[in-house]
Amino acid sequence: MSEETLLYIALFSPIVSSLFAALFGTVPKRVFVGVVTSGLIGLSFLSSLALFIHLQSGSGVVHVQMFDWIMAGDFSVPFGFLVDEVTVTMMLVVSLVSTAVHIYSIGYMEHDKGFNRFFSYLSAFVFSMMFLVMSDNFLGLFIGWEGVGLCSWLLIGFWYHKHSAGWAANEAFIMNRIADLGMLLGIFLIYWTYGSVQYDVVFSAVSEADGEILTWIAIFLFIGAMGKSAQFPLHTWLADAMEGPTPVSALIHAATMVTAGVYLVIRANELFALTPEVGLFIASLGAFVAMFAATMALVNRDIKRIIAYSTLSQLGYMFVAAGLGAYWIALFHLVTHAFFKALLFLGAGNVMHAMNDELNIMKMGGMRKVMGWTAILMLLASLALAGIYPFAGFFSKDKILEVAFDGHYYILWATLWITAGLTAFYSFRVVMLVFFGKERYKDFGFHPHEAHDYMIWAMVPLAVLAVIAGFFEHQFVAFVSNVLPVYEFSEHTHHMVGQLILVTSAIAITGIAIAVFSNMFREGVFSSAFRNTILFKLFDNQYYIPKIYEEVITKPYMELSKVFWEKVDMKIVDASVDGIANILRSTGENTRGMQSGNLSYMLRWMAGGMMLILLFAIVYTYSDVLLNILQGVAK
């Protein structure tokens, strides 16, 4: 099978999967829909794997142009796709995680009336992300970019009968549209500067542009990335997106949507490398978001929101690496994070199902006795998230800290170091409160049970990769270095690596120890005294940012809209349109008689018409005389 055929299978299998599920969208649930769609996503993964082996063998990139897409004057964009080392890495992550999520969803959604519709949306989500990462130009990337935005709206608001789900879907969609305006401006500037939106053309001539133009392009592109990857201040949608089904959360946080922003910066690395001031801003914002999100995760009681804040925090780590020029390290953390984050969300889905969709971790406890496999899998994922050796998160997260230290950005390093301790603490706070300690769920009348076997088996590959993926660090950097620059550490940092790892591991272990021991001696970890402090309330209320947005933006906008509706729309626009319609209607009513066939009535109309014609003729003939008369009167 040719590489071109493999590319088409990898790209188009998900959309075939989506259309197949859509054919059964209005009929009762069909389990075979879930099986067939999962198989087609699995086929996409196998094709991606075959392309990976092709590239690994050194056979070169795969680049196909199907047809001329847009031809307008000098503007030409082919419908083309590129599979290089960075692309195939993303393809493998997206398709592998998506396959696991699809199989898992067969059990998770088995009692939902929208079973078929869900799989149609989910597969379309995968197709949009594959289109995004495989496109060979910025415009194609933007089409996929908007596709994942649309599918996220459909999936976050999947249970549209719930007001909260509809609101969360709209929030995500609108916030991303705000950011996408910035990205569009960046793409327009790219074409205006280079005369093309093709990656190879733009990146080969990237240094020829004026420095100020390059800076603006980088800024606009990053604004787009901020929305997709939920960076401050466009971050609030990410936690609210938990209103969607849990498999959707796993897909959004691990393989699609939020990783698109990081991918954009990595893909456009040649451009960002020439704008170090923008890169430093990206890194600084990333470090801030890492700690900002971690503090909110510390005190939250909603199991899905805690994991969502964790994603926000880890995205901050990725942007620190990308902003400081360590693009392969940012991609490496994106890959390792995908495995343990998808595992955490799917484990949370098991817990929710067992608890009749209850999310409050304070109503759980001791569940390892009835959910042993889920407890083990979430424990492995939490160890990876905390960055404990030899789990995958240890290798990728420590590399980011080393990059910050190597660049003498000690404030960034300290911020990430503290965040590592907070991450370990809140990760094991969840583990302890859900799976250990007193069986609090009995007090609330719950009877938890383990998930279906095939749901557990769908999680196992993610668990294995969350454990071993870090050991492939050297093979990974050798593979992607054909596209991405290799970050060179200084000799001083090489000598300090052991100490840096020891310091980072120490704070992570300390965070775990505090979570474990405090839960053993005091249920709930936090004392009542701390829960009454300003700091706790600040964290618990998300720094009051959603409240500020509501008071400063949402409410004034609603009031302004009401004024425009009542004063402008109703009294001016509607009144004008209605007035014109009324005039035309009354004119029609009054002139209807001329079509009645009544001879005397029609003669009157004829006489009136003749009088008007004669009057017009007189005025036209004697216009000069009349004008002189009027001028005389005026004098």
Side-chain angles (χ1 to χ4, degrees):
M1 189 179 293
S2 69
E3 290 74 27
E4 184 174 342
T5 303
L6 289 170
L7 184 151
Y8 292 146
I9 293 172
L11 175 61
F12 293 113
S13 288
I15 194 61
V16 172
S17 172
S18 177
L19 293 173
F20 176 81
L23 288 175
F24 301 92
T26 59
V27 300
K29 180 196 74 175
R30 294 285 187 269
V31 173
F32 78 87
V33 169
V35 174
V36 172
T37 53
S38 300
L40 286 167
I41 301 299
L43 182 61
S44 179
F45 167 69
L46 292 175
S47 300
S48 300
L49 185 61
L51 288 168
F52 168 76
I53 294 170
H54 167 80
L55 287 169
Q56 182 73 26
S57 66
S59 300
V61 302
V62 182
H63 190 189
V64 300
Q65 292 187 350
M66 297 177 65
F67 51 82
D68 290 328
W69 180 22
I70 300 175
M71 300 288 289
D74 295 332
F75 183 56
S76 173
V77 183
F79 198 76
F81 300 96
L82 170 72
V83 177
D84 60 13
E85 287 78 3
V86 171
T87 303
V88 82
T89 300
M90 291 295 297
M91 290 167 64
L92 282 170
V93 171
V94 172
S95 58
L96 174 60
V97 173
S98 299
T99 302
V101 169
H102 271 72
I103 296 171
Y104 176 92
S105 297
I106 296 173
Y108 190 89
M109 301 295 290
E110 63 180 341
H111 299 301
D112 197 286
K113 294 179 181 178
F115 184 92
N116 301 340
R117 178 168 58 91
F118 176 82
F119 276 90
S120 180
Y121 293 168
L122 200 66
S123 296
F125 202 5
V126 180
F127 169 72
S128 297
M129 190 65 186
M130 293 292 276
F131 196 104
L132 186 156
V133 300
M134 295 174 69
S135 179
D136 68 350
N137 62 82
F138 283 101
L139 200 57
L141 179 145
F142 186 73
I143 297 300
W145 191 273
E146 293 303 290
V148 294
L150 171 63
C151 293
S152 67
W153 178 76
L154 292 169
L155 286 164
I156 294 168
F158 181 77
W159 290 314
Y160 53 84
H161 56 276
K162 293 168 56 180
H163 173 75
S164 57
W167 191 92
N170 288 337
E171 179 188 21
F173 194 79
I174 293 167
M175 278 203 170
N176 275 275
R177 298 295 72 70
I178 294 169
D180 290 355
L181 175 61
M183 185 176 175
L184 266 179
L185 291 173
I187 294 173
F188 289 153
L189 269 181
I190 287 172
Y191 174 71
W192 184 60
T193 305
Y194 300 104
S196 175
V197 291
Q198 295 291 115
Y199 293 152
D200 52 356
V201 175
V202 173
F203 297 149
S204 63
V206 67
S207 60
E208 298 175 7
D210 177 75
E212 187 176 350
I213 291 293
L214 271 177
T215 299
W216 279 110
I217 292 173
I219 290 171
F220 284 134
L221 290 181
F222 181 63
I223 289 172
M226 285 172 65
K228 273 290 181 287
S229 294
Q231 296 295 283
F232 178 89
L234 303 175
H235 66 282
T236 55
W237 70 265
L238 191 62
D240 293 335
M242 297 303 98
E243 289 290 338
T246 303
V248 174
S249 303
L251 204 53
I252 287 176
H253 289 249
T256 61
M257 192 71 173
V258 298
T259 59
V262 180
Y263 171 77
L264 173 62
V265 176
I266 294 170
R267 173 53 71 188
N269 67 86
E270 289 96 334
L271 193 153
F272 284 97
L274 296 176
T275 54
E277 65 281 1
V278 177
L280 182 57
F281 172 78
I282 292 171
S284 301
L285 182 63
F288 165 75
V289 170
M291 179 176 282
F292 172 73
T295 55
M296 293 188 286
L298 284 178
V299 301
N300 207 283
R301 297 185 176 193
D302 185 314
I303 186 170
K304 286 179 66 177
R305 281 181 174 263
I306 293 170
I307 302 173
Y309 288 132
S310 165
T311 300
L312 186 55
S313 182
Q314 297 307 304
L315 287 167
Y317 274 88
M318 296 175 207
F319 277 117
V320 170
L324 297 180
Y327 302 104
W328 79 263
I329 296 174
L331 183 61
F332 187 46
H333 192 52
L334 185 156
V335 171
T336 60
H337 173 264
F339 303 136
F340 58 74
K341 186 50 55 71
L343 188 59
L344 278 172
F345 267 113
L346 297 184
N350 289 350
V351 172
M352 283 180 61
H353 254 209
M355 295 285 291
N356 297 328
D357 292 334
E358 178 57 58
L359 293 167
N360 190 343
I361 57 177
M362 301 306 298
K363 294 182 179 181
M364 301 175 189
M367 293 178 65
R368 75 185 187 283
K369 297 176 183 178
V370 291
M371 301 185 70
W373 285 112
T374 298
I376 291 170
L377 293 170
M378 287 197 72
L379 178 61
L380 294 175
S382 297
L383 286 166
L385 175 59
I388 302 300
Y389 182 86
F391 298 89
F394 165 83
F395 294 91
S396 55
K397 188 186 289 185
D398 266 46
K399 272 284 180 288
I400 297 172
L401 284 155
E402 290 167 25
V403 168
F405 186 86
D406 183 70
H408 305 293
Y409 299 108
Y410 299 121
I411 294 176
L412 299 185
W413 178 87
T415 303
L416 297 180
W417 180 74
I418 294 169
T419 303
L422 299 178
T423 303
F425 174 80
Y426 68 67
S427 300
F428 275 81
R429 172 175 173 256
V430 172
V431 170
M432 295 303 296
L433 288 174
V434 173
F435 297 109
F436 296 90
K438 179 184 174 183
E439 298 169 354
R440 295 180 298 276
Y441 62 84
K442 292 181 177 179
D443 299 334
F444 298 95
F446 293 113
H447 303 282
H449 54 83
E450 187 59 277
H452 295 302
D453 289 345
Y454 62 86
M455 295 171 69
I456 297 295
W457 280 111
M459 298 166 65
V460 168
L462 299 174
V464 172
L465 288 167
V467 175
I468 70 170
F471 290 107
F472 297 95
E473 174 190 332
H474 297 297
Q475 293 91 328
F476 182 86
V477 65
F479 180 66
V480 300
S481 61
N482 292 325
V483 179
L484 301 178
V486 177
Y487 186 89
E488 297 291 344
F489 289 96
S490 66
E491 195 67 29
H492 174 67
T493 303
H494 272 300
H495 291 304
M496 293 283 293
V497 165
Q499 298 172 44
L500 291 171
I501 291 175
L502 186 63
V503 169
T504 307
S505 298
I507 196 169
I509 293 170
T510 301
I512 293 173
I514 293 172
V516 170
F517 287 110
S518 59
N519 187 73
M520 288 173 61
F521 297 108
R522 183 176 62 248
E523 293 287 343
V525 180
F526 296 117
S527 65
S528 57
F530 178 66
R531 285 197 294 270
N532 291 324
T533 62
I534 295 175
L535 195 62
F536 183 93
K537 292 177 181 177
L538 195 65
F539 297 163
D540 193 39
N541 289 284
Q542 305 174 57
Y543 291 85
Y544 296 97
I545 291 173
K547 185 69 174 176
I548 293 170
Y549 284 174
E550 183 180 0
E551 296 296 330
V552 175
I553 299 174
T554 307
K555 285 185 177 179
Y557 180 80
M558 288 295 292
E559 290 299 321
L560 187 63
S561 300
K562 188 177 179 181
V563 169
F564 272 89
W565 172 57
E566 292 179 345
K567 307 297 184 184
V568 179
D569 192 48
M570 297 292 290
K571 295 187 176 181
I572 298 177
V573 178
D574 281 3
S576 300
V577 173
D578 290 345
I580 293 170
N582 289 332
I583 290 170
L584 292 174
R585 185 176 62 183
S586 61
T587 302
E589 290 286 346
N590 294 329
T591 57
R592 185 184 298 172
M594 70 173 63
Q595 301 293 331
S596 65
N598 186 299
L599 183 59
S600 61
Y601 193 78
M602 294 173 71
L603 286 172
R604 285 198 295 269
W605 274 104
M606 289 174 63
M610 288 298 295
M611 288 178 60
L612 288 174
I613 292 171
L614 289 171
L615 180 62
F616 175 77
I618 292 169
V619 170
Y620 181 76
T621 305
Y622 299 101
S623 57
D624 293 339
V625 176
L626 291 171
L627 184 61
N628 290 332
I629 293 170
L630 290 173
Q631 288 177 347
V633 172
K635 291 179 180 179

